[in-house]
Amino acid sequence: MSHDDLLAIIEDTPPSQDANEPAWHILVVDDDPEVHATTRFALNGVQLLGHSVQLTSAHSAHEALQLLRDNGHFAVILLDVVMETQDSGLQLVKRIRDELQQHEVRIILRTGQPGYAPELDVFSHYDINDYRTKAELTRTRLLTSLCAALRTYEQIRTIAESRRGLQLIVNATAELMQRHALNAFAEGVLTQITALLHLPLEGVVCVQRGSPFDTSDEQGLFVIGAAGLLADCFAKPLEHIADDHVRQAILQCISQREHLLEHDHSCLYLHSGCHEAAVYLASPAQLRPLDRQLLEVFSANLSVCFGNVRLIEQLEYTAYHDLLTGLLNRSGFLREIARHSTSAEHCVALLDIAHFTDLNDGLGHDFGNKVLCQLGERLRQGLPETVSLARLSADLFALLGPREQINPARIHALLEEPLQVENMNLPVQAALGFCELLEQAENPLTLLQRANIALNRAKKSLQVQYEYFIPEMENNTRWRLEVIHQLRRDFEAGKLEIWYQPQINLATGKPSGVEALMRWPDGNGGFVQPPAVFIPLAEYSGLILDLGEWALEEACKALQQIIPLPSTVHRMAVNVSMPQLRQSSFAGKLATILGRHAINPANLELEITESIAMDEPKVVRRGLDTIKRLGVRIAVDDFGTGYSSLSHLRDLPIDCLKIDRCFISEISGGSGGMFAETIVAFARKLGLSTVAEGVETAEQAGFLRGLGCTEAQGYLYAKPMPLPELLNFLSGHRQS
């Protein structure tokens, strides 16, 4: 018998070894105590593949199963086939693989009854690494079988760890991209790295260049993630970390701009664009090559995530803040309202600067921007942090906060002192609209709209500078929206009509012109709304552009039928609105309509109101000059009711003044016509014709004729009528 085959019986006492030394954990499962003793003797003091061996004994399949449930770090199991039952060892193999899902541990079967479990069948049906009879398993063969099993185990573990690590990296990348704040990102980094390397959370620190909260400090190093004893260092400078070893490692990593992989720690360098960060990891032993490779891959992903998180933070800031003033923008303010929508003690306020457009036009946009910034800073400094501030549009600011802070007296007090802009003292006047939050949660946009309704009321009022929203305001607004909706629907359905009112030459008593007037019939002989109601609503909604173009088209069609009649009518008057005049394409559209219907431009007269003429003089003058070059006549309607500058009026290319009906109604008993007389005299001086509106009596007509007024229209002659009635009316006034 060779020396290799001699096995001595020894006491079941484990050999002494360093507790920190990594060892192979091997489980011996056998119901024979001698097998445990001889196995321990054979492996006593042995180094396999560079590591010592640590044995654990189980004397039954049941005991082994419990040990495996509690400890999943066994590398090899030396397993007897026959114990409690003839196949308990084989059944244990199935439970290890199927029930415990431990596929990495290597299993070497040992049996004293080889005939009971044929070797080929066992290898075919069970996931084992080797199968030996106890008689043939000498010390040398035991060691060689263990070495082969351990080498296989190490390779499988490497592949499994790589797969697990890469899966963690993939999952971490997705998870970290969900963390849109740097502190949440840092927390995710700590969690993922400790899971990747099986390290304690207390040994990981994440540091970035630049303060996470103070944008003025972009060069200092600040802790953005830490755990354990270092958790209270979050958002503090690196100097707050008391451990000099940790500080120096992080400083070295960032200064050298590369990873540091030392025997007791590692430090990962992260960078993306101008952003830098480092992650310190304390490790009890030098990292394995596999772990280093995983860290390299993970750190590359971290760099991308880090840059993306910073970009997302910048995008989020841009999405919810006004870049000029640094206040919230509309989206950010709506989000703040949503957060406080159930706070009944809160109030929303809108602040609109008076005459800001004039300031911008007169002193330039740069000066206007400085005014906005100064006002934003005034509000920020004068109101507590509990108040949210926003700039919603050019000169429209919004405030949200407790009612005792958001009220007219408090806000007007903040505006009493002039703003200091470029050595100028600039007084600020503003209109305010308030909407108090109710106890039940409401839509943020609805609350903002209600505050805007109140603001618009305040801007129109000459007595007060602020308004609180009340439900009646919304009811009126809802009614207006309903009218606009119905108007649009009926217009698209072709239900609107153009009616015509004749204009009479006062000298001859014959029709000389026709005014086209828009009507909204209800289908039952009446009207849905009068023009004084639906025309302003059409202008408010933008529908007036389509209505105006349609009216011109219909008027020119009617003029085609009127011109051939044997009457003295040679002119069609059509009202135009300010939105139409603002259109650069309006003159081109007008020329197209005239050409399509073969209308002489001199037969068309466009009417603008006096208020429009003075509202935007430059825009009006530019538009009228273009129209005048087409050969179209221009009249000023409702003259005398506005506040026109005579010098501006003199510069406009107009042909006719229409005297408002309020001055005609004053003519009674041969007196009261002072304003009409003044207008007629003024028009004569400028070489303009005149048309008196609302003439209802022969006395008024005679008085106007005596003044030298050119033409008149009103119920004395004819009411507005549909086109067929107009054609009959004109046919009855044949040219003499």
Side-chain angles (χ1 to χ4, degrees):
M1 183 179 297
S2 67
H3 176 73
D4 182 55
D5 293 329
L6 293 177
L7 296 177
I9 305 300
I10 62 173
E11 295 296 327
D12 192 13
T13 304
S16 61
Q17 65 179 40
D18 186 356
N20 294 324
E21 179 188 353
W24 298 116
H25 293 270
I26 297 176
L27 176 62
V28 181
V29 186
D30 204 299
D31 59 354
D32 186 349
E34 291 189 3
V35 172
H36 291 276
T38 54
T39 302
R40 192 174 298 281
F41 174 75
L43 299 179
N44 186 42
V46 169
Q47 291 269 332
L48 298 179
L49 304 181
H51 299 288
S52 61
V53 175
Q54 182 174 328
L55 295 180
T56 302
S57 295
H59 297 84
S60 66
H62 176 76
E63 182 183 356
L65 189 64
Q66 191 60 43
L67 284 170
L68 288 165
R69 280 199 182 101
D70 297 338
N71 183 0
H73 299 300
F74 289 110
V76 179
I77 301 175
L78 295 172
L79 176 61
D80 189 13
V81 175
V82 181
M83 290 178 288
E84 298 101 314
T85 63
Q86 294 295 318
D87 65 344
S88 57
L90 296 177
Q91 293 303 315
L92 180 60
V93 172
K94 293 189 67 174
R95 298 191 71 177
I96 291 171
R97 301 307 191 199
D98 299 339
E99 181 181 322
L100 302 183
Q101 291 292 307
Q102 295 183 9
H103 299 288
E104 298 166 3
V105 61
R106 299 294 86 201
I107 301 175
I108 299 176
L109 284 179
R110 298 193 294 185
T111 182
Q113 305 177 36
Y116 175 78
E119 184 175 349
L120 182 59
D121 291 345
V122 171
F123 269 105
S124 298
H125 295 93
Y126 298 93
D127 181 9
I128 62 172
N129 197 66
D130 203 354
Y131 183 35
R132 297 283 183 175
T133 64
K134 293 179 180 179
E136 69 174 336
L137 200 58
T138 63
R139 181 174 186 273
T140 299
R141 288 175 180 169
L142 175 62
L143 295 178
T144 56
S145 293
L146 283 174
C147 283
L150 290 171
R151 184 171 284 111
T152 303
Y153 171 78
E154 182 69 3
Q155 292 170 348
I156 292 174
R157 285 284 295 174
T158 299
I159 294 172
E161 279 291 294
S162 296
R163 183 184 296 113
R164 186 187 70 86
L166 290 173
Q167 187 62 47
L168 269 176
I169 290 170
V170 172
N171 293 341
T173 301
E175 179 181 335
L176 291 174
M177 282 307 300
Q178 298 295 323
R179 300 170 180 263
H180 294 169
L182 277 176
N183 57 341
F185 172 78
E187 177 188 348
V189 169
L190 304 187
T191 304
Q192 299 297 339
I193 287 184
T194 53
L196 186 68
L197 303 179
H198 303 290
L199 295 175
L201 190 61
E202 289 75 9
V204 186
V205 180
C206 197
V207 174
Q208 75 162 16
R209 185 179 295 283
S211 170
F213 301 123
D214 185 3
T215 56
S216 63
D217 190 346
E218 298 182 353
Q219 295 304 314
L221 297 177
F222 290 81
V223 178
I224 59 171
L229 297 176
L230 300 176
D232 61 347
C233 294
F234 174 73
K236 294 181 180 178
L238 179 62
E239 292 74 22
H240 279 74
I241 296 180
D243 192 326
D244 185 66
H245 178 71
V246 175
R247 291 199 317 273
Q248 293 303 319
I250 293 173
L251 287 171
Q252 182 182 356
C253 174
I254 291 185
S255 64
Q256 294 181 0
R257 301 171 65 86
E258 62 183 12
H259 304 316
L260 298 180
L261 302 174
E262 304 296 340
H263 69 282
D264 62 343
H265 72 272
S266 299
C267 205
L268 304 181
Y269 176 70
L270 309 179
H271 69 95
S272 179
C274 60
H275 306 301
E276 288 184 300
V279 181
Y280 173 89
L281 304 92
S283 51
Q286 191 169 17
L287 296 177
R288 299 175 301 164
L290 171 63
D291 291 336
R292 291 190 176 204
Q293 293 171 7
L294 290 174
L295 274 182
E296 291 284 349
V297 175
F298 190 54
S299 64
N301 281 269
L302 281 182
S303 293
V304 175
C305 290
F306 178 71
N308 288 340
V309 167
R310 292 299 295 262
L311 177 60
I312 289 172
E313 283 202 329
Q314 293 172 2
L315 290 174
E316 185 172 19
Y317 182 88
T318 303
Y320 293 107
H321 289 80
D322 172 49
L323 298 183
L324 176 64
T325 62
L327 304 178
L328 295 173
N329 60 14
R330 181 182 177 85
S331 298
F333 192 69
L334 288 172
R335 188 168 65 169
E336 282 298 299
I337 296 178
R339 288 180 54 226
H340 297 88
S341 60
T342 58
S343 302
E345 70 279 2
H346 274 55
C347 182
V348 174
L350 295 182
L351 182 155
D352 184 87
I353 304 174
H355 310 299
F356 183 75
T357 301
D358 295 338
L359 186 149
N360 249 351
D361 293 341
L363 299 176
H365 289 280
D366 289 341
F367 185 88
N369 288 342
K370 292 178 181 178
V371 171
L372 296 174
C373 292
Q374 286 277 353
L375 179 57
E377 189 61 26
R378 172 77 63 84
L379 295 173
R380 184 157 35 201
Q381 294 293 331
L383 294 169
E385 293 182 357
T386 53
V387 174
S388 299
L389 299 172
R391 175 177 170 244
L392 304 187
S393 60
D395 61 336
L396 182 62
F397 288 80
L399 304 89
L400 170 69
R403 294 176 184 173
E404 62 269 16
Q405 303 293 341
I406 305 301
N407 57 68
R410 180 69 183 271
I411 297 174
H412 281 136
L414 291 175
L415 304 179
E416 284 182 356
E417 293 294 326
L419 295 176
Q420 301 290 327
V421 183
E422 293 186 356
N423 298 321
M424 292 179 60
N425 289 333
L426 189 70
V428 177
Q429 292 182 335
L432 301 172
F434 295 86
C435 179
E436 296 181 341
L437 276 64
L438 304 177
E439 292 185 1
Q440 67 271 23
E442 295 193 63
N443 185 292
L445 188 58
T446 299
L447 293 169
L448 195 58
Q449 289 172 340
R450 289 174 176 173
N452 194 61
I453 291 172
L455 175 65
N456 287 332
R457 288 285 293 269
K459 291 167 66 175
K460 293 177 182 177
S461 173
L462 299 177
Q463 288 77 31
V464 297
Q465 295 177 301
Y466 67 90
E467 286 278 0
Y468 275 88
F469 171 82
I470 56 176
E472 288 77 6
M473 295 179 184
E474 190 170 42
N475 293 338
N476 181 56
T477 301
R478 186 179 294 113
W479 173 84
R480 294 173 66 199
L481 293 176
E482 290 173 354
V483 172
I484 290 170
H485 177 70
Q486 185 181 357
L487 176 63
R488 187 181 300 275
R489 187 176 61 237
D490 285 1
F491 171 63
E492 292 173 353
K495 294 183 178 180
L496 269 66
E497 297 178 359
I498 300 296
W499 286 22
Y500 303 89
Q501 186 173 30
Q503 296 173 335
I504 306 300
N505 186 303
L506 287 173
T508 65
K510 297 180 181 297
S512 56
V514 176
E515 181 179 8
L517 301 168
M518 208 174 297
R519 292 293 183 264
W520 187 4
D522 60 9
N524 297 313
F527 299 98
V528 178
Q529 294 292 343
V533 172
F534 74 80
I535 294 296
L537 292 179
E539 293 182 357
Y540 171 79
S541 65
L543 183 60
I544 194 64
L545 294 176
D546 293 332
L547 285 176
E549 187 172 346
W550 166 76
L552 278 171
E553 193 85 42
E554 292 298 307
C556 287
K557 286 182 185 178
L559 195 54
Q560 271 186 315
Q561 300 181 56
I562 293 171
I563 294 293
L565 293 177
S567 69
T568 55
V569 173
H570 59 274
R571 185 182 67 250
M572 174 72 73
V574 183
N575 290 277
V576 293
S577 64
M578 192 66 210
Q580 289 175 279
L581 289 177
R582 289 196 193 101
Q583 279 189 307
S584 59
S585 59
F586 177 66
K589 291 180 179 179
L590 178 59
T592 300
I593 293 172
L594 290 170
R596 181 161 48 239
H597 300 288
I599 300 297
N600 184 343
N603 294 133
L604 182 66
E605 183 176 84
L606 297 185
E607 295 184 1
I608 61 170
T609 63
E610 184 182 7
S611 58
I612 285 180
M614 295 301 103
D615 188 25
E616 298 179 44
K618 294 181 181 179
V619 174
V620 172
R621 175 62 187 269
R622 184 168 56 249
L624 295 184
D625 282 343
T626 306
I627 294 169
K628 191 64 177 176
R629 283 195 290 270
L630 294 176
V632 175
R633 286 172 52 86
I634 297 171
V636 174
D637 195 11
D638 300 334
F639 186 75
T641 59
Y643 300 92
S644 58
S645 164
L646 295 183
S647 61
H648 286 163
L649 194 63
R650 184 187 57 191
D651 292 337
L652 293 178
I654 58 178
D655 302 284
C656 175
L657 293 181
K658 297 191 71 176
I659 307 170
D660 189 79
R661 66 182 64 246
C662 67
F663 302 125
I664 305 304
S665 63
E666 295 176 351
I667 301 173
S668 176
S671 63
M674 180 183 65
F675 287 104
E677 183 178 359
T678 302
I679 294 172
V680 171
F682 174 71
R684 188 182 298 111
K685 290 288 185 181
L686 294 179
L688 306 178
S689 62
T690 50
V691 177
E693 297 182 290
V695 177
E696 297 183 355
T697 67
E699 180 185 1
Q700 293 171 344
F703 185 85
L704 291 167
R705 189 181 303 110
L707 294 178
C709 181
T710 313
E711 295 168 280
Q713 68 183 85
Y715 284 7
L716 174 64
Y717 305 107
K719 295 181 179 180
M721 62 192 75
L723 180 61
E725 293 183 22
L726 173 69
L727 296 178
N728 290 333
F729 176 86
L730 295 178
S731 297
H733 289 75
R734 297 181 180 276
Q735 184 174 7
S736 58

